[in-house]
Amino acid sequence: MKYVPENLVPMFRKAAILRNEMLVSGFTDNGGAIHSAERILDILGQRLNYPRLTHINKLRQYPDAEFSVAALSAYERGERVLIEHVAPLRDLTRQAIGVLDRGASDRELIEFVVRHYRLVLLTVEETQRLNRVNRSRMTPDRLSEAGIKISRRSTTLQTR
């Protein structure tokens, strides 16, 4: 595999340094200062928490994928379901950079990402509702705040 934690962590560190330097120079995250760090963190999170996932768009077929109850039903009917980062990627990236800024080791960064990086599959309506409630901040109960209940497909299939 081309991207593995052993090379992603050092690249994330470099991207975090560059992002911080860009902010000091007056550039903003919305202007692009954080984009490389976001992308690297997204790939790192996938490799750590979904090691057999070859591409994020294949999450729907991933054996341990988490679906909302409604999304699982929709998916089984052949309807569209969307991938959602439970911890919004921009805020997760900012917090991960903060972890590094406080002197975290590679192991501590990896533990942070493993703890907070999570993907779920939602219906279009659930995604819209979630974004209305909280589109940009990490919270421990972001999904439940929007009234979304989660189910693992493997658990559901095993009980049938």
Side-chain angles (χ1 to χ4, degrees), residues 12 47 65 119:
F12 181 76
R47 295 299 179 267
L119 301 171

Side-chain angles (χ1 to χ4, degrees), residues 101-145:
D101 290 345
R102 291 187 295 279
S105 66
D106 289 356
R107 173 63 30 214
E108 290 167 326
L109 174 64
I110 287 170
E111 289 169 1
F112 176 85
V113 174
V114 166
R115 190 169 50 255
H116 294 288
Y117 185 92
R118 181 177 167 207
L119 301 171
V120 295
L121 293 148
L122 305 177
T123 65
V124 173
E125 183 277 332
E126 287 172 325
T127 300
Q128 292 168 345
R129 183 170 13 121
L130 180 64
N131 287 335
R132 277 193 303 272
V133 171
N134 173 6
R135 178 182 173 162
S136 59
R137 288 177 294 104
M138 286 177 55
T139 63
D141 53 355
R142 183 170 175 243
L143 294 172
S144 61
E145 289 170 355

Side-chain angles (χ1 to χ4, degrees), residues 5-144:
E6 294 76 23
N7 65 19
L8 290 167
V9 169
M11 292 304 109
F12 181 76
R13 284 184 176 280
K14 288 179 185 237
I17 290 167
L18 176 61
R19 180 263 185 169
N20 289 343
E21 290 173 353
M22 292 171 89
L23 292 180
V24 168
S25 296
F27 206 58
T28 65
D29 283 342
N30 284 343
I34 200 166
H35 289 306
S36 292
E38 281 179 332
R39 179 67 181 132
I40 294 165
L41 187 72
D42 195 19
I43 297 168
L44 178 61
Q46 289 172 45
R47 295 299 179 267
L48 293 171
N49 288 355
Y50 306 90
R52 296 176 317 279
L53 186 65
T54 57
H55 191 278
I56 194 169
N57 288 333
K58 294 187 178 192
L59 183 65
R60 293 161 188 87
Q61 293 86 36
Y62 195 74
D64 295 322
E66 291 181 282
F67 287 77
S68 71
V69 173
L72 183 55
S73 295
Y75 179 74
E76 289 173 344
R77 291 189 305 270
E79 296 174 13
R80 185 172 173 221
V81 295
L82 303 176
I83 300 166
E84 180 68 31
H85 288 84
V86 176
L89 191 55
R90 173 75 50 96
D91 195 33
L92 177 62
T93 304
R94 283 185 183 132
Q95 289 195 34
I97 291 170
V99 166
L100 293 182
D101 290 345
R102 291 187 295 279
S105 66
D106 289 356
R107 173 63 30 214
E108 290 167 326
L109 174 64
I110 287 170
E111 289 169 1
F112 176 85
V113 174
V114 166
R115 190 169 50 255
H116 294 288
Y117 185 92
R118 181 177 167 207
L119 301 171
V120 295
L121 293 148
L122 305 177
T123 65
V124 173
E125 183 277 332
E126 287 172 325
T127 300
Q128 292 168 345
R129 183 170 13 121
L130 180 64
N131 287 335
R132 277 193 303 272
V133 171
N134 173 6
R135 178 182 173 162
S136 59
R137 288 177 294 104
M138 286 177 55
T139 63
D141 53 355
R142 183 170 175 243
L143 294 172
S144 61

